[in-house]
Amino acid sequence: MYRPSRNLVTLGEFIIERQADFPYAKGELSSLLSDISIAAKIVNREVNKAGLVNILGEAGTDNIQGESQKKLDVFANEQFLAALASGGECAGVASEENDDIILFDNHSTVNGKYVVCMDPLDGSSNIDVNVSVGTIFSIYRRKTKNGPATVEDFLQHGSDQVAAGYIVYGSSTMLVYTTGNGVNGFTLDPSIGEFCLSHPEMRIPKKGNIYSVNQGNFIHFPEGIKKYIKNCQADDKANNKPYTLRYIGSLVSDFHRNLIKGGIYIYPTTLNSPKGKLRLIYEANPMAMIAEQAGGKATDGYKDILEIKPLDIHQRVPLYVGSESMVNESMKFLHEFSDENMQPQYNAKSVN
Ligand code: P6P
């Protein structure tokens, strides 16, 4: 009986291996995940030379090959849309870069079984200062059966996601995803151009000592979050405090570090973001699915993110995500010290 001698498992091999988790799937989800990984490799190549591109000319000008240069987030969006359109499994995309849903009208994709919500390049303002950025994606089976997808296909509860993941373009490039059977991380090996399994069965520590929040907004935070942050800073060695503040302004990177080390990421309501800043369907929901699948928790401060019914594809929500005990502790402070009226109300009138 042949036994492979190498212990390297590529993303493609892993997806095929795990296909058995989906008894009725005929490989469509596997193929869709592979389409995303191809676009990720192309985006990675451009992100890694972004500085060079800036030297060669500003976005909007022509590069030495005479191609018009695009802002990297527009470029990233185009790569993922192209890969998903040609892959044939995806009927449409809701993207941070597009006001409305993008429907693929070539025959194979109009009947594609899935739709994708994505933030093609989250944290892109960090590109010019060489700080890690990321792509976030969320996959649903369509609710509509034939013909073009409709916006209802994209406004499903996060608990209905069939897969969620992110790519972090950092010191190394990693793809982390879940299909509801745990979380696995793959590191891109540029020498072979493959994502290779490097972090099998990722679990977030129940407790951590890292909190990630933009303290510049402190005076506009709910009273309970002000008190929670002060509690994180307390001189309380018995409870491993003061915690460490780590916030780099890139959700994917802050989330990824906290997933590995334990910690909490908070973007609460603020004066400038009364509904929170993060977007429900292509930032909060995928991160919430990953967090829960890794043993963590994700809420809007009151309600599980995955239980919120989206009303608009660009709807914002407050986000508390990470180690379960830290999310619970932050919510205890929020409920005890904040005005109940601060609780997010989800109605069609104002969602953004
Ligand atoms: P602020 C990036 O724009 C982003 O959506 C997240 O990646 C990041 O965590 C957050 O916004 C940063 O927002 O207001 O702290 O600059």
Side-chain angles (χ1 to χ4, degrees):
M1 173 70 171
Y2 173 70
R3 282 272 177 272
S5 56
R6 63 177 167 87
N7 58 8
L8 174 146
V9 177
T10 67
L11 175 63
E13 290 165 338
F14 184 88
I15 289 172
I16 298 297
E17 258 174 46
R18 291 297 180 95
Q19 195 164 277
D21 294 344
F22 296 89
Y24 307 112
K26 292 185 288 298
E28 299 98 334
L29 180 59
S30 304
S31 167
L32 204 162
L33 286 167
S34 294
D35 296 339
I36 289 174
S37 71
I38 292 166
K41 292 179 202 173
I42 297 171
V43 170
N44 174 67
R45 183 191 63 203
E46 293 306 303
V47 165
N48 283 347
K49 65 179 185 181
L52 187 58
V53 168
N54 285 343
I55 291 168
L56 291 179
E58 290 307 311
T61 58
D62 286 344
N63 65 17
I64 48 176
Q65 287 83 12
E67 299 153 4
S68 69
Q69 280 171 302
K70 304 182 186 325
K71 278 172 64 70
L72 267 174
D73 40 13
V74 173
F75 173 82
N77 194 49
E78 288 172 353
Q79 295 311 313
F80 283 99
L81 289 176
L84 292 168
S86 59
E89 308 302 346
C90 175
V93 174
S95 168
E96 179 169 63
E97 290 297 320
N98 302 99
D99 292 344
D100 302 312
I101 57 175
I102 303 288
L103 298 178
F104 301 135
D105 52 9
N106 56 358
H107 172 70
S108 61
T109 47
V110 159
N111 295 315
K113 289 187 181 151
Y114 299 94
V115 294
V116 173
C117 307
M118 70 173 180
D119 184 352
L121 204 62
D122 180 69
S124 51
S125 59
N126 285 318
I127 283 268
D128 296 348
V129 294
N130 208 17
V131 167
S132 303
V133 292
T135 297
I136 310 172
F137 62 89
S138 164
I139 302 174
Y140 290 92
R141 286 183 71 83
R142 287 177 58 172
K143 288 167 69 175
T144 53
K145 286 302 166 217
N146 301 309
T150 70
V151 72
E152 286 315 306
D153 290 312
F154 298 87
L155 298 179
Q156 302 182 52
H157 288 89
S159 50
D160 290 333
Q161 292 174 96
V162 292
Y166 60 81
I167 298 99
V168 52
Y169 309 99
S171 45
S172 63
T173 295
M174 276 193 71
L175 186 149
V176 175
Y177 84 99
T178 180
T179 53
N181 294 293
V183 178
N184 290 281
F186 300 79
T187 300
L188 182 64
D189 179 342
S191 68
I192 57 171
E194 289 287 355
F195 282 103
C196 301
L197 183 63
S198 54
H199 295 66
E201 304 304 333
M202 299 178 82
R203 301 293 291 172
I204 187 169
K206 286 294 177 200
K207 262 190 80 59
N209 70 344
I210 296 172
Y211 71 106
S212 304
V213 65
N214 183 342
Q215 293 204 159
N217 298 321
F218 185 86
I219 57 170
H220 299 309
F221 285 159
E223 200 50 40
I225 294 306
K226 291 180 182 175
K227 292 204 184 301
Y228 172 68
I229 290 172
K230 287 300 174 199
N231 181 269
C232 290
Q233 298 166 343
D235 185 6
D236 174 5
K237 288 182 179 37
N239 288 301
N240 209 12
K241 291 171 186 169
Y243 290 159
T244 294
L245 171 61
R246 286 284 182 275
Y247 187 79
I248 70 168
S250 182
L251 168 63
V252 172
S253 304
D254 282 320
F255 178 92
H256 184 70
R257 180 201 51 247
N258 294 351
L259 173 65
I260 292 172
K261 296 194 166 188
I264 184 172
Y265 171 98
I266 298 178
Y267 208 106
T269 56
T270 67
L271 191 66
N272 295 335
S273 307
K275 300 276 180 194
K277 178 181 182 185
L278 278 301
R279 308 285 185 168
L280 175 56
I281 72 167
Y282 46 76
E283 290 175 327
N285 269 338
M287 292 320 214
M289 181 179 185
I290 295 166
E292 290 200 1
Q293 282 290 315
K297 185 167 183 157
T299 75
D300 66 356
Y302 297 88
K303 198 174 174 186
D304 283 354
I305 291 289
L306 298 180
E307 296 315 316
I308 297 171
K309 172 69 174 74
L311 299 170
D312 179 89
I313 62 171
H314 297 296
Q315 175 175 346
R316 298 179 192 270
V317 286
L319 181 61
Y320 299 66
V321 60
S323 296
E324 184 177 17
S325 67
M326 299 180 82
V327 173
N328 288 336
E329 188 180 41
S330 67
M331 291 170 70
K332 185 167 71 64
F333 278 87
L334 183 65
H335 301 171
E336 191 173 336
F337 299 103
S338 295
D339 180 345
E340 271 308 301
N341 299 338
M342 295 287 285
Q343 185 164 348
Q345 302 302 323
Y346 300 108
N347 52 55
K349 280 198 294 294
S350 67
V351 289
N352 289 321

